[in-house]
Structure formats: C-alpha cells, structure tokens
Amino acid sequence: MEQFDAIVLGAGGAGLMCAAIAGQRGRRVVVLDHGTEPGRKIVISGGGRCNFTNREAVAERYVSTNPHFAKSALGRYTAQDFLDLVERHGIAWHEKTLGQLFCDGSARQIVSMLLGECELGKVTLRLGGALGEIGHADARFTVEHDGQRYTAPSLVIATGGPSIPKLGATGFAYDLARRFGLKVVEPRPALVPLTLPGEEALFRALSGVATPVVAGSVPAKGKGTAFAEAALFTHKGLSGPAILQVSSYWKSGEAVTIDLVPGVAPGWLREAKRVRPRGTLASALPLPGRLGDALAEVIGVGELGLATDRVLEAAERRLADWRFHPNGTEGFAKAEVTVGGIATAGLSSKTMEARHLQGLYAIGEAVDVTGWLGGYNFQWAWASGWAAAQAV
C-alpha cells in the first residue's frame, strides 16, 4: 500500500490544478484516473484551442442551488491569476468577445502546462486503470486502482459530471459522494441544444440558419435570464450560443422566449409600411431570407400596406417575444457541462471540504456549480481546485 497526503480522483482540469498546487505546497499527492489521457475535456474544448477562462468570471454568472457558494473560490483565485500562469508558460493567447480567452495554438498547451505544474509539485499520476474499492477508516481514505492500493488522510473527488460520455464521463462522483453522506442535486444536461416538438417542425426545417437574438428562459417562478448572442436552428430544434446559455436555466415544461429582432425601435413595422407600403413583412425583417419567410407565414402578414397598424403592432410584439416550447434537450451526449451535482450545503465554500467528514473534498464539475458558456466552467475548475489545494 502506497501512502500519500492526498489522493485526487480525476485527471481533468480541476484535479490536475488541485494536485499541482498541493504538491507545490509540499504535499505528497497521487492522481488516479480510469482514462489513459489527462485533461480530455480540455483537449476538445474551444474547437481545440481551449477557452481557458473568462475575464468576467463572477459568481453571478454561475448556476447553483446556492448562488453565493462560488464567491469565495472565484474571489481568491481569479481569471487574472490563471492568465498569469498561462503567460509564465509562454502560451500565446487571444481574447474574443464577451471576455473569452483562448489559446492561439492548441488546447494541449494547457494540458502540458498543468502536467508541468504537477511535475514541479512531484505529483504521481496513475492513469488507465479501473478504480476499485474506496473506503475510510481511522481518519484515512483507501483507494484501489489498477490492482494497487493507496491511502491518504485526504481524498479529492474531481471526476466531473456525466456530460460528454464518449470521453469516459460518468456519474461516479455522485455515487461516491452519496456513499460518504453527501447529498446530490439532481444532475441534468447544461449548455446543450434544445429539441422542439412536432408542432414546431416548421423551425426544424430551417436547419443551418443562424441569427443574432436575445433568448431567455420563462421560469414558472422567479425571474428568467436572457442572453444576447446567436441562435441556430437545427434539424432537431434550437442551438447556438444564446440557446446553450438558456439551456442551463431551462426546465422541462417551461417556454423559451426569443427576441428575433433585438435592438429595433417600437413602431418599426408601421414605419416600414409608411416607407414601402407595397413591401412584404418577410422583406422588412432584418433576418436571413428563409427565416423571414417562415416567420411571415406563421404571423400571416404579407404586403404591409394591406395590414392595419394594430396587426403590425401585434406582429412586432410576437417577433420580440416568440415563445418556443422545447420538449427536451439533446442530452448528456451533447451537453458541454452538467447542472446539479454534489450539494454545496455539505461543503465549505472556502476549502471545498465536506462539513461532516474531515479530509473529503469535492471540486470542479462534480459540484453543484455550473458556469455560463465562454470559459466560466474552466475558471471554476481552476478556482475550486486551488481552494481545495490550500487545505489538503
């Protein structure tokens, strides 16, 4: 049996970050993973360039049962802190819209950076073996991995959620958490395309059409959240950045509202009628042709001059608040992350340690903290991993 100060389960972003920092603090750390390659989600992220953080990564842009939980970790290890690390490793980067930071080159540079930091901390990596029995006795955790047994006073759950199962993702973290007495908020797919029912097949026929919108959820209770980005019509329903964002808030049975003509002034259709009375609604819409034709057909307005002002006002209202009623999502297979997970009520927001069991920690996507699209979830991985590393 090999003895360590901390055992980290999971060689993803959060696990590698935690192991590296803890190792550099003088802790003997081992990282165990059933996969043969570390940082698998990092490698495929951002189109292979890794959207590694976001300048606007504040707790208000995360979904959690406890909206305040992420404040401590995010405030103590910031996007600038991670950017400083990236620059120390000489990784070239660029900023896209909305504070999103990407590698100029390959996402593998981020994985190599984290492995380099682990090497500085003399971290032991054991990859490609199945996890066996995991127990706790006499203030120590014992883990079987690939026929070998490891023991340590600290165990860090960093195995993520079930999103993107083709990479080996599972709900292992939740089963383990429950076994040790932690509660789990029901997980569901997030940052995922939404599917539309048969009665909205008209829009599925527009597959491939994208347009800037403001999309929001329409919750049964409380206030919805809206996002001004692009929406994409697909053969199954709706996707694109705006829809992926909304999916993290959407719940079954709720509607999604889309402003298809954001930024236009009230009365714009009446003005269009005055200027070009022989023009059609479809031609007046500042939208891709196929989409404009489909919307005009549903609204039932053709030549503007033949429509009353009241009809045009109703058309404006509908275009600014078009209600879709998704019948589901494309599931964990297409979800970038998971909403829900290990309940924050059982964890310290400062250290990520279980309140009732000393030495047990949970970090990253395994926890009920889910960021917006655009580097927020990686920043949570870095910040929560760093926070746990200060305590193990």
Side-chain angles (χ1 to χ4, degrees), residues 146 190 251 281 321:
D146 197 26
K251 295 183 176 63
L281 173 60
D321 184 15

Side-chain angles (χ1 to χ4, degrees), residues 2 31 76-77 107 114 118 146 150 210 229 255 273 287 299 312 315 326 332 349 354 358 371 377 383:
E2 292 190 65
V31 177
R76 290 159 59 228
Y77 191 85
L114 293 170
C118 282
D146 197 26
Y150 303 86
E229 294 190 67
K273 170 184 171 180
L287 296 166
I299 291 172
L312 294 181
F332 285 114
S349 62
Q358 185 176 357
N377 289 292

Side-chain angles (χ1 to χ4, degrees), residues 321-392:
D321 184 15
W322 199 288
R323 299 292 175 102
F324 292 91
H325 296 84
N327 60 356
T329 75
E330 292 195 35
F332 285 114
K334 294 295 179 68
E336 295 193 19
V337 289
T338 306
V339 161
I342 298 171
T344 58
L347 304 174
S348 162
S349 62
K350 182 178 180 180
T351 65
M352 310 304 295
E353 185 176 21
R355 296 185 183 279
H356 74 289
L357 182 56
Q358 185 176 357
L360 179 66
Y361 300 80
I363 59 176
E365 190 185 344
V367 179
D368 176 31
V369 174
T370 305
W372 286 6
L373 183 72
Y376 292 92
N377 289 292
F378 276 132
Q379 185 56 37
W380 171 245
W382 318 138
S384 60
W386 183 92
Q390 306 306 306
V392 298

Side-chain angles (χ1 to χ4, degrees), residues 268-293:
W268 66 277
L269 274 180
R270 286 176 306 182
E271 177 62 17
K273 170 184 171 180
R274 186 187 67 80
V275 175
R276 290 186 61 207
R278 300 290 298 274
T280 63
L281 173 60
S283 64
L285 292 172
L287 296 166
R290 286 169 58 202
L291 177 58
D293 291 341

Side-chain angles (χ1 to χ4, degrees), residues 192-197 200-211 230-241 243-244 258 290-291 324 327-330 334:
V192 63
L194 300 174
T195 58
L196 293 176
E200 294 186 321
L202 163 70
F203 296 99
R204 296 209 302 271
L206 295 169
S207 180
V209 175
T211 187
L232 170 70
F233 293 89
T234 74
H235 66 286
K236 291 184 178 180
L238 298 167
S239 187
I243 301 302
L244 297 182
I258 297 183
R290 286 169 58 202
L291 177 58
F324 292 91
N327 60 356
T329 75
E330 292 195 35
K334 294 295 179 68

Side-chain angles (χ1 to χ4, degrees), residues 25-252:
R25 292 183 61 243
R27 304 296 190 263
R28 290 192 65 223
V29 183
V30 62
V31 177
L32 308 177
D33 198 301
H34 68 280
T36 56
E37 182 185 3
R40 292 183 296 276
K41 282 190 178 180
I42 297 174
V43 170
I44 69 165
S45 67
R49 293 185 185 274
C50 188
N51 181 187
F52 56 80
T53 192
N54 193 294
R55 291 192 185 277
E56 308 300 324
V58 293
E60 290 76 15
R61 298 189 173 190
Y62 289 79
V63 184
S64 174
T65 303
N66 178 359
H68 302 291
F69 182 83
K71 286 182 178 178
S72 177
L74 292 171
R76 290 159 59 228
Y77 191 85
T78 67
Q80 186 60 53
D81 290 324
F82 191 77
L83 181 57
D84 290 344
L85 179 62
V86 167
E87 292 187 329
R88 284 202 300 274
H89 280 258
I91 298 173
W93 59 275
H94 60 278
E95 182 171 348
K96 288 191 176 180
T97 58
L98 305 173
Q100 302 170 57
L101 305 188
F102 288 78
C103 296
D104 284 357
S106 169
R108 293 185 183 278
Q109 293 175 286
I110 299 296
V111 178
S112 296
M113 177 190 78
L114 293 170
L115 292 176
E117 291 293 309
C118 282
E119 190 173 340
L120 284 176
K122 299 180 180 178
V123 173
T124 300
L125 261 68
R126 299 287 163 80
L127 308 177
L131 284 168
E133 184 179 344
I134 300 175
H136 179 259
D138 300 324
R140 295 187 73 84
F141 294 89
T142 303
V143 179
E144 290 185 359
H145 177 261
D146 197 26
Q148 178 65 37
R149 298 182 75 203
Y150 303 86
T151 182
S154 293
L155 177 68
V156 182
I157 303 173
T159 53
S163 61
I164 320 183
K166 69 181 180 182
L167 296 181
T170 69
F172 175 84
Y174 311 144
D175 296 335
L176 183 58
R178 290 189 186 101
R179 196 188 318 164
F180 283 121
L182 289 169
K183 294 183 178 179
V184 174
V185 176
E186 186 63 30
R188 54 188 174 85
L191 300 183
V192 63
L194 300 174
T195 58
L196 293 176
E199 56 266 30
E200 294 186 321
L202 163 70
F203 296 99
R204 296 209 302 271
L206 295 169
S207 180
V209 175
T211 187
V213 302
V214 175
S217 58
V218 186
K221 296 180 181 178
K223 186 179 180 182
T225 303
F227 298 92
E229 294 190 67
L232 170 70
F233 293 89
T234 74
H235 66 286
K236 291 184 178 180
L238 298 167
S239 187
I243 301 302
L244 297 182
Q245 296 277 39
V246 168
S247 73
S248 296
Y249 294 85
W250 178 81
K251 295 183 176 63
S252 180

